[in-house]
């Protein structure tokens, strides 16, 4: 008699760098990373220049 509930533990190979359309986990990770870089850049501009981000670029 064989055990019919036994499953294979072989990992399924997927290309994590493949481009996929939509809100995928990879896209959301990159979106978060770029948002953190942008926020940090704006905070550093304010810290070192003494002006707000918009004043620094002459928008306001």
């Amino acid at each position: 008699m064989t055990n019919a509930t036994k499953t294979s533990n072989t990992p399924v190979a997927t290309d994590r760098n493949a481009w996929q359309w939509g809100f995928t986990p990879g896209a959301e990770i990159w979106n978060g990373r770029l948002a953190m870089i942008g926020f940090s850049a704006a905070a550093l501009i304010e810290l070192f220049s003494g002006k707000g981000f918009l004043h620094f670029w002459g928008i306001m």
Side-chain angles (χ1 to χ4, degrees), residues 26-38:
E28 292 302 313
I29 288 171
W30 277 105
N31 186 24
R33 288 175 181 166
L34 293 174
M36 287 186 280
I37 290 171

Side-chain angles (χ1 to χ4, degrees), residues 36-49 51-53 57:
M36 287 186 280
I37 290 171
F39 181 80
S40 298
L44 288 173
I45 286 173
E46 286 195 30
L47 180 68
F48 288 115
S49 72
K51 300 179 186 176
F53 180 76
W57 290 104

Side-chain angles (χ1 to χ4, degrees), residues 4-33:
T5 60
K6 190 173 186 178
T7 59
S8 139
N9 289 337
T10 334
V12 177
T14 57
D15 185 10
R16 295 185 344 166
N17 293 324
W19 186 81
Q20 296 176 348
W21 179 258
F23 296 102
T24 61
E28 292 302 313
I29 288 171
W30 277 105
N31 186 24
R33 288 175 181 166

